[in-house]
Amino acid sequence: MGRLRQKGNAGAAKAYVTRSIAIKKLQCSLADFRRLCILKGIFPREPKSRKRANKGSSAPTSFYYAKDIAYLAHEPVLKKLREHKAFAKKLSRALGRGEWSSAKSLEENKPVYKLDHIIKERYPTFIDALRDIDDALCMIFLFASLPSNPRIPPSLVENCSRLAAEWQLYIMRSHSLRKAFLSIKGVYYQAEVMDQTITWLVPYQFTQNIPVDVDVRVMLTFLELYQTLLGFVFFKLYTDVGLVYPPPLDAKRDESAAGVGAYLLQEASQKSDKPAVTKVKVVEVEGRQVSGRDVYKTIKNIASSSPNADDMDVDAPTIENNFGETEEEFIVQPSKSDAEMASSLPTLQSLKALPQSINTSLFAPYTFWLSRETSRPIFEFLVRSFGGKIGWPASSGGGSPLDESDDSITHVIIDRPVIEQPSETDEQRELRLKRRYVQPQWVVDSINAGKILLEAPYAQGQSLPPHLSPFGEYEGAYDPAELANEELAADEDESEIEGEDVEIEDADIENEALQAVATAATEDSATLRAAELAAEAAGIDPSTFEKEVAKSRRKSKKSSSNGVDEAETDMNKMMMSNKQKKLYEKVKHSQDKRNLERSKLEEKKKNLHKQKRKLGQTS
Amino acid sequence: MTIQARSSKKRKQHGQDEASDTFNEAVNLEMLSDEEDKEDVESDNGEVDEFPEIDAGSEESGEEDETYKSEEDTGASGEGSSSGSQEQLHIFPEVKTIVSDITGQEKRVYPEIEPDYDSDSSTEDTPNRVGDIPMHWYDDLPHVGYDMDGKRVLKPARGDELDRFLKTVEDPNSWTSAFDKKAQADKPLTAEELDIIRRLYANENPDADYDPYEPLTEWFTGPGKEEIMPLTAAPEPKRRWIPSKWEHKKVMKIVRAIRQGRILPNRTKNTSQPPFYAIWGDSSSSNAPPLPAPKPTLPTNSESYNPPEEYLPTEEDKKQWEETDPEDREHDYLPQKYSALRLVPGYERFIKDRFNRQLDLYMAPRVQRVKLNIDPNSLIPKLPSPSSLKPFPTYKSLKVVHTHIARCISVSPDGAWVVSGDEGGVVRLWEVNVGREVKKWKFDGKIGSIEWCPRTDVSYFVVGTDDMLHFLIPPNLPASILQLTQSILAPSTLPPAPETPSPVKWSTPSSNTWTDETAVLTIHLPPSSGLPTQITWHRRGDYLASVSIGGSQGAVWIHQVSRRHSQAPFKKVRGKVQMVLFHPMKPCFFVATQQYVRMYNLSEQKLLKTLQPGIKWISSMDVHPSGDHLIVGGYDRKLCWFDLELSDKPYKVLRYHTRAIRSLHFHPTYPLFASSSDDGAIQIFHSRVYNDLMTDPLIVPLKILRGHEITKGLGVLQVKWCSRHPWLVSGGADGAVNVWCS
């Protein structure tokens, strides 16, 4: 006989604890527990059997791993939270007694916790951290746009906007933006940093109001963690490319609402050499520093094709000195035993030679001017990320490197209807004709397409083509572009045939018999030939006959596939096991749902198309 | 009216009498008191007198009043007093300070008291001496107290309301008089009393004499009044003049800390951002990172600010979206289309969305799921196409109609004839190919079962009715067969009767009464054994087993035709027997109870195995002609295929009928079996069994035959195969017996 096993001493009953037990064990308040969970990234688990985990009770509770809670018990932050509780008591006591000086000294020495160790714990490697900054970026960008209130101190908003600007600066500098999408919720950006795809959402520039059913404390706790995380991530990113972190802020530019341009990107080496001088110098040229360098770099890349690139005025310090160094090529020394493996080893050079999926210097040859009504932060970021040069009027903020009358401007991003300008001077007219006026969607669509699209459909005042998501949908989803090309054409054909059918039927009834013959003859080639001959004899146009045959074939195919195969598969379904049957039903259900969605959209599209055609015919 | 008037008059008189009485008495009393007063003038002076009750009626005011009176009196009585004595009211008689002639010192001289009437106010004293008691004690008595001599002081006459009113009108002093309880009469208030009332009304101190701004008399402070001597003789402690050592230590500790720089005075609070450093610089820790949180789904085309038009929701879509709960919505937004980017408004639910995402991150339990990305059609087993497994019945070739439910059918061993019985007691014999009815028998009661004898050299069938089994010989038989049949069923010399008397009786009518209409041989089962629901033959055609619905262990009987002997194989059967079967090869016997199928060896008389189909209620079973496989059908729609060599548990469980399975039958020669159900459908399966033990039997569903009507919830009750052809005969609750041909 084995040892007696007592219930609740092993297995799920020990591995999971409920939330209330966890709080009791940690001896903290629920709010503190939540805060800890947020900071430490601990979340409830779903036990396989809730009953077994909850000692036989099936009451709805959330379970945590007992080990998670045991780790939490040794958390320094928890200790600090307890200290803070004591501090709060002391402070309220001092304030209640009117002991202002002791309250002040208490306040000065209030316990503050640090999250560094948590960052290191949650993200042991840098890639782990980078993989998880999507939510952090969304929050930072949201809070950077929020108005401050008693719950959200202005310093927090300021810090968020600083972090947001730092991220944008890094993306612009490293050219790692890949996709952008203008949605109704905001602008989605997707960047590729160190092979990690990072997607973040930035709200449009409108004042956000915090709804009453949102717990700001929770958001602020998350934000606390995110700020620290992003600080460390940016530090690593900046130092890896040889920049100083944090980038110093130019107060004057910041006051003139320069946005991203208010931060100065400093080379780490420059700083160490002569910090004071460079600072002044950088301040002077900062507006063009980043963009100018980018332009230079991209121009250098395409220098071989364009001979006049040399006369471009370069006002930014060049740092890519090591470009000239010749890199030694890996020479393959094929081993005799395993030749294939050695030859297949990819080298850095071979990888570089591979065609890049996206052209990061897409806008390098162009210079943009932002019209007043377009959002500067969005398009400045987009254009500069893809190597373009951009200027904006003073009403959109300071720090514009260009003037509106600059000759180099090739495109004007404008988002207003065309207005006749009778009092136009010749000069203005000339400028207008020289430039291309495009709507903002053109920029985003060009980025997503990876090439410069034709400007004509996006010209000022044109009704825009639909803006599609660059992120794609699930496999087999409805693709609006595909249907537009193929199905509609087929649809037209079919409807034409239908129209002809009616005509033929009107003309003579003799053909109906022929039609029947054609229908019957589809299966067999010999009979088909006979039928063709008969049709010829009857004096029917061969093209109509062919159409007839095709139509009947389609019909017969449909009916046969529907009839016989369905019945057979239905019969075979009987032989499935119960488990398989359930799985099959589940998969089939989701598939049917998707198909329904797809067919619904297709149907809608066809209807719209028909309506449009009708309108076209009547008008 | 008159009565009232009279009564009032009476009262008046009475009142007057009373008044006169009291008056007299009072007068007497007063006279007496006058005399008495002379002696105790002095004693009365300080006494608290009765005071007419006014609203406040406080003691103090009474005393004051009294003192006023006395002062006034004294003032009036004092001869040598100054004229200002009226204003300067003093408690004591006025004092004169004179220089004594004898001693030469100042001395106080008091005025002499003259003992006459005017010297005291006690002349006005009330005669009532009851003291300060609640006067309502005397309410019911004619007197109000007692005087000095212990005589009663009678109540003064008080008159009625009218008198009092008239008094108030006539007497000008009535409004300044108050009721004196002790005297039980109104007394006019004095000027002093009125003054007090006025002061009280004006919220002033009632004492006219009181000076609120009296100059302060300093008794203990001021020059010359200091205390010179200490209060105690204790010496002064050291702490009064020596500084604290401990304080010094504490202060020095702080001073030292400040000197050493441990305490920074006025340290500026570090409000700047936390310093960032290369946290991932050193070697990364070995422990695996926690699983990253799942990323939110990426936006699709419908979220675009300018989506293709087909994504825009219709009115119904919008309505449906709004009606569903926010948690149940597929998308948390409605697609919208804006013609230009500048027209796109701010998204209202942005913060809410972020918040929900955060709630998901820290409050939602996470489960790791393996995502199945399989083609659902790959789950369907690949089976050979039914068209390659022909022949099998596909269509209904003919139909024979009974008037009642056709519960049982049987096909002759040569496959040319069918007998079918219905619940009306009619048995029809007809031909399979064209359905021509050859013969019809009529029995009393329902027909429970019919089974043709499997022997080919003889031809007869058994019909089970209530408590009886009838052996019938079809007409138009060849003479040789008929003769043999008759000789078997009714031999000229009966076999010897068994030693033990059996409850089952075998009876044969005499040979001259034989007709086509009646049975050649009849077995009488024990009474109340009920309708035999099943008859099954051993393959040799000598034994047959019958199962009846009534009785417990008597339900199963095995009859031997050659010996005309019946026996009950089981003394006791656990559960209700549903069906029995003979094994086609071995001397084995299957018994299906409600939930189990038991397999017995008849020769060794022991249980071989118990099969557990897992069916709640077994309805039917059949054994494969090879004898190694068994199919069992149940009322809970399941069909179990048992490989008898393999296991007690089913090899395969199928559930494809929508209602209870009623009947199963293996084809004797073709690899086919059929099942019928209450859903009115018959399913044909291909069932190939391989001889080697390694290959699993192949079961392929071939065809669903529909054509029976469901009546009273019953569908197809029995199916039987024709032995030589892939043809199926089925009897249904609608009374139809159909033949299905390939």
Side-chain angles (χ1 to χ4, degrees):
Chain A
M1 198 179 132
R3 261 177 57 202
L4 278 177
R5 275 169 189 275
Q6 250 180 328
K7 212 177 172 187
N9 276 348
K14 277 276 162 196
Y16 295 98
V17 291
T18 60
R19 196 183 64 182
S20 52
I21 290 177
I23 288 172
K24 218 178 264 176
K25 183 175 164 59
L26 296 178
Q27 298 187 9
C28 62
S29 64
L30 178 61
D32 279 354
F33 178 70
R34 286 195 170 151
R35 183 180 286 254
L36 268 183
C37 283
I38 292 169
L39 295 177
K40 292 280 283 184
I42 287 171
F43 48 87
R45 312 286 171 145
E46 191 64 39
K48 265 183 193 162
S49 159
R50 294 184 75 89
K51 227 176 177 180
R52 222 167 271 164
N54 204 6
K55 299 180 176 61
S57 155
S58 58
T61 36
S62 48
F63 295 96
Y64 291 85
Y65 276 154
K67 286 228 167 155
D68 279 351
I69 304 302
Y71 289 137
L72 269 189
H74 300 287
E75 177 57 44
V77 172
L78 179 61
K79 206 178 146 206
K80 283 282 181 192
L81 287 176
R82 286 190 190 127
E83 275 172 25
H84 190 273
K85 196 175 155 192
F87 155 75
K89 274 183 188 165
K90 282 180 198 163
L91 186 71
S92 68
R93 181 184 155 96
L95 289 177
R97 289 176 159 199
E99 295 167 350
W100 309 119
S101 69
S102 62
K104 201 180 157 200
S105 70
L106 274 173
E107 171 68 28
E108 272 167 7
N109 295 315
K110 94 172 171 194
V112 179
Y113 55 79
K114 288 176 87 177
L115 300 175
D116 303 9
H117 65 283
I118 289 181
I119 301 291
K120 179 73 176 164
E121 216 173 78
R122 287 184 68 169
Y123 309 107
T125 62
F126 177 57
I127 295 300
D128 293 330
L130 204 57
R131 197 163 48 194
D132 211 21
I133 63 168
D134 286 19
D135 288 313
L137 286 174
C138 287
M139 279 288 283
I140 290 292
F141 275 94
L142 169 64
F143 270 76
S145 68
L146 280 185
S148 67
N149 63 29
R151 307 297 304 275
I152 305 165
S155 63
L156 181 81
V157 175
E158 199 183 308
N159 191 33
C160 285
S161 60
R162 189 180 62 80
L163 286 169
E166 282 167 11
W167 173 249
Q168 287 186 334
L169 280 173
Y170 176 77
I171 294 294
M172 283 192 286
R173 191 189 158 92
S174 61
H175 294 295
S176 34
L177 190 68
R178 293 292 174 268
K179 285 165 183 174
F181 178 50
L182 304 169
S183 87
I184 49 173
K185 293 184 180 177
V187 187
Y188 286 91
Y189 298 103
Q190 195 171 63
E192 220 174 275
V193 180
M194 297 185 145
D195 278 344
Q196 298 298 320
T197 309
I198 296 159
T199 315
W200 72 98
L201 171 63
V202 181
Y204 291 117
Q205 280 180 306
F206 289 98
T207 308
Q208 302 273 353
N209 290 319
I210 297 181
V212 281
D213 53 346
V214 162
D215 189 358
V216 186
R217 282 183 309 170
V218 170
M219 295 194 102
L220 289 180
T221 312
F222 267 104
L223 202 64
E224 226 166 75
L225 176 76
Y226 288 158
Q227 281 176 353
T228 320
L229 168 66
L230 287 181
F232 282 113
V233 169
F234 292 171
F235 182 87
K236 168 94 173 151
L237 288 174
Y238 270 65
T239 45
D240 279 3
V241 295
L243 290 173
V244 171
Y245 185 84
L249 175 75
D250 184 354
K252 221 161 66 181
R253 281 175 178 278
D254 195 34
E255 262 176 34
S256 66
V260 176
Y263 293 90
L264 320 174
L265 287 184
Q266 266 182 356
E267 297 297 329
S269 57
Q270 277 182 348
K271 193 195 176 192
S272 62
D273 284 348
K274 33 177 185 175
V277 179
T278 37
K279 209 163 201 174
V280 175
K281 195 179 166 190
V282 167
V283 169
E284 281 173 3
V285 298
E286 169 47 35
R288 292 195 191 176
Q289 194 198 7
V290 178
S291 58
R293 193 186 298 131
D294 292 346
V295 171
Y296 175 69
K297 215 195 290 176
T298 49
I299 286 169
K300 204 176 170 190
N301 288 347
I302 56 167
S304 55
S305 57
S306 62
N308 59 346
D310 289 2
D311 56 33
M312 280 287 289
D313 186 31
V314 181
D315 56 355
T318 56
I319 39 161
E320 287 82 11
N321 291 331
N322 55 352
F323 256 79
E325 284 178 30
T326 51
E327 284 174 23
E328 201 173 337
E329 179 73 58
F330 278 93
I331 296 162
V332 180
Q333 307 273 342
S335 79
K336 277 157 198 167
S337 59
D338 199 357
E340 287 166 31
M341 205 174 140
S343 62
S344 65
L345 189 75
T347 63
L348 182 64
Q349 301 246 328
S350 66
L351 283 178
K352 265 188 183 171
L354 283 174
Q356 266 196 318
S357 59
I358 195 147
N359 184 7
T360 53
S361 53
L362 187 70
F363 296 138
Y366 307 110
T367 308
F368 293 83
W369 179 260
L370 266 180
S371 183
R372 197 180 58 211
E373 69 282 350
T374 50
S375 166
R376 197 198 102 202
I378 297 172
F379 291 98
E380 187 193 0
F381 178 56
L382 286 175
V383 169
R384 281 175 63 183
S385 298
F386 284 86
K389 223 174 161 188
I390 191 161
W392 52 87
S395 59
S396 316
S400 167
L402 298 172
D403 194 37
E404 189 169 6
S405 57
D406 200 314
D407 278 344
S408 63
I409 292 171
T410 54
H411 288 81
V412 175
I413 303 173
I414 193 161
D415 195 7
R416 49 181 133 166
V418 189
I419 295 166
E420 284 296 317
Q421 288 165 316
S423 60
E424 196 179 34
T425 60
D426 284 348
E427 215 174 303
Q428 281 175 330
R429 196 180 136 73
E430 198 184 330
L431 262 182
R432 192 164 62 80
L433 290 179
K434 239 170 75 182
R435 293 170 180 175
R436 299 214 167 122
Y437 285 74
V438 289
Q439 297 198 38
Q441 196 189 319
W442 177 80
V443 177
V444 183
D445 279 355
S446 296
I447 288 171
N448 292 338
K451 61 186 180 190
I452 299 294
L453 296 175
L454 279 179
E455 283 93 346
Y458 297 92
Q460 186 186 3
Q462 292 282 331
S463 68
L464 290 164
H467 181 55
L468 298 181
S469 165
F471 306 115
E473 297 199 31
Y474 56 88
E475 206 175 321
Y478 167 70
D479 183 5
E482 186 191 328
L483 190 80
N485 298 336
E486 294 173 17
E487 291 269 322
L488 285 178
D491 199 30
E492 265 175 55
D493 265 9
E494 209 160 79
S495 57
E496 268 173 36
I497 291 165
E498 272 169 27
E500 276 171 37
D501 275 352
V502 175
E503 281 167 30
I504 289 165
E505 273 166 34
D506 285 346
D508 51 359
I509 312 136
E510 203 176 297
N511 278 5
E512 258 185 47
L514 228 157
Q515 205 175 315
V517 170
T519 317
T522 47
E523 283 113 46
D524 199 4
S525 59
T527 43
L528 177 68
R529 195 166 299 149
E532 212 175 326
L533 286 172
E536 241 182 83
I540 296 166
D541 193 24
S543 65
T544 45
F545 178 78
E546 258 164 38
K547 268 179 192 168
E548 200 69 45
V549 169
K551 202 177 147 196
S552 63
R553 237 180 217 165
R554 217 179 294 153
K555 268 186 195 165
S556 67
K557 208 183 266 176
K558 264 183 199 167
S559 63
S560 70
S561 64
N562 284 354
V564 180
D565 291 348
E566 287 270 314
E568 254 177 51
T569 51
D570 273 355
M571 296 273 250
N572 288 355
K573 271 185 220 164
M574 282 177 206
M575 300 308 293
M576 282 199 281
S577 71
N578 220 359
K579 200 174 164 188
Q580 277 178 324
K581 215 179 273 177
K582 272 177 191 163
L583 182 64
Y584 176 84
E585 291 300 326
K586 222 188 247 175
V587 176
K588 206 72 187 165
H589 174 75
S590 60
Q591 218 176 41
D592 285 352
K593 209 170 125 192
R594 267 185 264 167
N595 286 344
L596 182 76
E597 208 170 290
R598 187 197 158 102
S599 59
K600 217 172 161 186
L601 285 172
E602 276 169 3
E603 188 73 18
K604 258 190 190 173
K605 172 105 185 178
K606 270 178 199 165
N607 285 344
L608 282 171
H609 193 78
K610 263 181 202 166
Q611 277 178 10
K612 253 181 218 168
R613 270 213 314 176
K614 241 178 225 170
L615 277 178
Q617 278 173 1
T618 49
S619 62
Chain B
M1 288 284 275
T2 49
I3 295 168
Q4 275 188 354
R6 203 184 295 162
S7 68
S8 64
K9 204 177 169 184
K10 248 184 194 170
R11 203 186 293 155
K12 216 173 184 176
Q13 268 186 340
H14 181 70
Q16 272 177 346
D17 292 347
E18 271 184 3
S20 62
D21 288 349
T22 49
F23 181 65
N24 291 334
E25 277 187 36
V27 168
N28 288 336
L29 283 168
E30 231 172 334
M31 287 173 75
L32 279 169
S33 68
D34 263 358
E35 286 167 359
E36 293 298 314
D37 273 351
K38 284 168 195 167
E39 283 104 51
D40 42 51
V41 170
E42 282 294 324
S43 65
D44 269 0
N45 193 19
E47 197 187 306
V48 177
D49 268 358
E50 191 57 37
F51 185 76
E53 270 203 336
I54 339 165
D55 49 353
S58 69
E59 292 285 310
E60 271 181 49
S61 60
E63 270 177 48
E64 289 285 335
D65 191 39
E66 195 54 40
T67 49
Y68 286 145
K69 276 183 206 161
S70 60
E71 277 152 23
E72 204 179 331
D73 294 341
T74 49
S77 60
E79 285 167 327
S81 64
S82 62
S83 58
S85 67
Q86 286 282 334
E87 289 88 48
Q88 272 199 334
L89 293 170
H90 279 276
I91 300 166
F92 305 108
E94 200 163 321
V95 179
K96 276 182 188 166
T97 314
I98 56 164
V99 179
S100 168
D101 303 333
I102 304 158
T103 58
Q105 297 280 316
E106 282 186 358
K107 75 167 189 181
R108 290 171 183 175
V109 175
Y110 295 95
E112 277 183 56
I113 298 167
E114 288 176 45
D116 59 347
Y117 287 110
D118 291 327
S119 65
D120 203 355
S121 61
S122 59
T123 46
E124 291 174 23
D125 198 10
T126 50
N128 196 351
R129 296 297 171 125
V130 287
D132 188 16
I133 56 158
M135 286 313 289
H136 63 84
W137 290 353
Y138 289 95
D139 275 356
D140 298 336
L141 299 172
H143 59 284
V144 289
Y146 302 91
D147 63 2
M148 281 273 281
D149 303 326
K151 297 260 176 62
R152 287 178 177 174
V153 179
L154 291 175
K155 272 183 186 164
R158 295 219 49 208
D160 57 4
E161 292 287 324
L162 189 62
D163 293 335
R164 249 179 276 158
F165 173 69
L166 290 175
K167 209 173 164 188
T168 59
V169 173
E170 288 160 5
D171 190 2
N173 290 332
S174 72
W175 71 278
T176 56
S177 58
F179 182 71
D180 182 1
K181 263 191 184 168
K182 208 156 244 178
Q184 290 290 320
D186 282 348
K187 291 256 175 90
L189 297 177
T190 59
E192 288 79 27
E193 285 164 353
L194 288 173
D195 186 48
I196 289 170
I197 291 168
R198 185 193 59 76
R199 282 168 181 280
L200 286 172
Y201 267 117
N203 275 337
E204 288 173 21
N205 197 313
D207 187 356
D209 214 18
Y210 176 73
D211 178 14
Y213 307 109
E214 240 176 295
L216 178 74
T217 320
E218 290 185 336
W219 300 104
F220 303 108
T221 52
K225 284 175 183 164
E226 300 97 346
E227 300 282 346
I228 301 164
M229 298 303 290
L231 289 174
T232 65
E236 200 167 2
K238 267 170 102 178
R239 65 172 179 274
R240 292 275 162 80
W241 70 90
I242 292 182
S244 163
K245 184 188 175 186
W246 306 110
E247 272 180 21
H248 176 252
K249 276 190 162 181
K250 272 192 173 174
V251 169
M252 278 319 289
K253 205 175 172 186
I254 296 168
V255 167
R256 237 172 279 127
I258 292 171
R259 277 185 196 147
Q260 287 167 2
R262 274 187 283 123
I263 295 178
L264 290 175
N266 303 327
R267 185 182 53 161
T268 52
K269 188 128 189 308
N270 192 14
T271 50
S272 62
Q273 290 307 310
F276 296 112
Y277 51 91
I279 199 169
W280 292 286
D282 50 348
S283 62
S284 60
S285 61
S286 56
N287 49 353
L291 278 178
K295 296 199 172 186
T297 49
L298 289 169
T300 54
N301 289 337
S302 60
E303 208 183 307
S304 166
Y305 87 99
N306 180 17
E309 271 178 60
E310 56 267 28
Y311 283 99
L312 296 180
T314 56
E315 286 302 316
E316 296 111 61
D317 291 346
K318 270 185 199 165
K319 213 177 147 198
Q320 201 194 348
W321 188 84
E322 269 154 18
E323 275 170 3
T324 48
D325 286 336
E327 299 92 50
D328 300 338
R329 285 171 188 166
E330 205 160 334
H331 298 291
D332 51 358
Y333 58 89
L334 273 177
Q336 276 162 313
K337 194 175 175 79
Y338 299 98
S339 58
L341 187 62
R342 69 167 191 281
L343 302 174
V344 182
Y347 185 60
E348 290 165 7
R349 289 188 297 275
F350 196 95
I351 293 180
K352 183 79 182 155
D353 279 5
R354 293 319 312 161
F355 182 64
N356 286 341
R357 164 77 180 158
Q358 289 175 347
L359 287 187
D360 284 351
L361 282 179
Y362 90 96
M363 282 179 95
R366 284 184 216 157
V367 180
Q368 233 178 336
R369 281 221 180 84
V370 183
K371 208 162 192 184
L372 272 180
N373 200 5
I374 48 167
D375 180 21
N377 291 331
S378 68
L379 290 169
I380 300 174
K382 287 281 163 289
L383 295 173
S385 168
S387 54
S388 67
L389 298 172
K390 277 174 182 171
F392 55 85
T394 49
Y395 67 95
K396 181 158 76 179
S397 71
L398 62 92
K399 179 176 175 183
V400 173
V401 181
H402 282 265
T403 49
H404 292 83
I405 295 174
R407 199 171 266 286
C408 45
I409 45 180
S410 183
V411 185
S412 68
D414 58 354
W417 305 91
V418 178
V419 280
S420 54
D422 67 11
E423 288 198 341
V426 176
V427 174
R428 289 174 197 272
L429 173 71
W430 43 279
E431 201 264 332
V432 171
N433 277 328
V434 291
R436 191 178 73 85
E437 186 182 311
V438 178
K439 182 93 183 119
K440 191 168 131 186
W441 290 271
K442 179 84 177 75
F443 291 94
D444 296 332
K446 295 175 184 174
I447 307 293
S449 50
I450 282 185
E451 204 60 54
W452 213 292
C453 177
R455 281 173 72 168
T456 46
D457 53 345
V458 295
S459 181
Y460 64 93
F461 56 89
V462 188
V463 176
T465 62
D466 270 336
D467 298 348
M468 279 188 276
L469 301 176
H470 302 283
F471 288 69
L472 295 177
I473 301 171
N476 311 328
L477 285 180
S480 62
I481 291 179
L482 182 65
Q483 205 175 1
L484 188 58
T485 310
Q486 283 174 350
S487 70
I488 283 172
L489 291 181
S492 49
T493 53
L494 288 175
E499 300 84 48
T500 51
S502 169
V504 180
K505 298 277 178 292
W506 295 62
S507 64
T508 311
S510 55
S511 59
N512 48 15
T513 57
W514 285 355
T515 57
D516 285 348
E517 305 294 327
T518 55
V520 181
L521 174 65
T522 304
I523 301 176
H524 295 272
L525 295 174
S528 82
S529 62
L531 190 69
T533 49
Q534 194 214 355
I535 298 168
T536 181
W537 282 95
H538 187 254
R539 87 195 124 92
R540 294 255 174 75
D542 193 20
Y543 291 96
L544 80 155
S546 70
V547 181
S548 309
I549 48 168
S552 53
Q553 61 264 43
V556 184
W557 287 94
I558 294 181
H559 314 276
Q560 191 179 7
V561 177
S562 57
R563 285 178 58 206
R564 295 172 75 101
H565 171 66
S566 302
Q567 56 182 342
F570 307 110
K571 276 191 187 137
K572 194 180 172 190
V573 184
R574 245 201 243 149
K576 208 172 170 197
V577 177
Q578 300 294 316
M579 261 194 127
V580 292
L581 272 180
F582 285 102
H583 192 281
M585 306 288 174
K586 297 176 200 161
C588 291
F589 193 58
F590 297 97
V591 179
T593 56
Q594 262 186 27
Q595 290 185 10
Y596 302 102
V597 178
R598 295 198 177 82
M599 187 179 172
Y600 295 92
N601 191 326
L602 285 178
S603 60
E604 291 174 23
Q605 299 205 341
K606 69 172 187 183
L607 179 66
L608 287 179
K609 55 169 74 173
T610 306
L611 306 177
Q612 294 164 336
I615 296 175
K616 291 275 165 54
W617 196 315
I618 293 169
S619 66
S620 53
M621 69 172 171
D622 199 17
V623 67
H624 192 264
S626 72
D628 289 339
H629 301 269
L630 185 79
I631 47 175
V632 179
Y635 288 112
D636 51 355
R637 297 174 281 170
K638 273 186 203 158
L639 185 143
C640 301
W641 177 288
F642 284 96
D643 194 335
L644 293 175
E645 310 268 294
L646 205 65
S647 163
D648 293 346
K649 299 271 159 53
Y651 154 69
K652 200 145 200 117
V653 179
L654 307 174
R655 218 180 75 170
Y656 48 88
H657 278 298
T658 53
R659 304 291 299 274
I661 291 177
R662 281 282 168 183
S663 166
L664 298 168
H665 198 219
F666 271 114
H667 197 283
T669 49
Y670 285 95
L672 293 171
F673 77 85
S675 69
S676 73
S677 157
D678 274 346
D679 59 4
I682 303 163
Q683 292 245 24
I684 312 292
F685 286 84
H686 177 86
S687 61
R688 175 148 294 166
V689 173
Y690 299 92
N691 282 332
D692 58 334
L693 291 169
M694 297 309 293
T695 322
D696 290 330
L698 174 75
I699 305 170
V700 184
L702 293 177
K703 183 79 184 165
I704 302 171
L705 303 173
R706 294 179 198 279
H708 281 283
E709 306 270 315
I710 301 168
T711 45
K712 297 179 197 162
L714 298 175
V716 187
L717 295 174
Q718 192 151 36
V719 283
K720 283 279 152 87
W721 291 96
C722 295
S723 53
R724 305 257 169 87
H725 305 281
W727 296 350
L728 190 74
V729 186
S730 65
D734 54 349
V737 179
N738 292 342
V739 178
W740 308 83
C741 287
S742 58

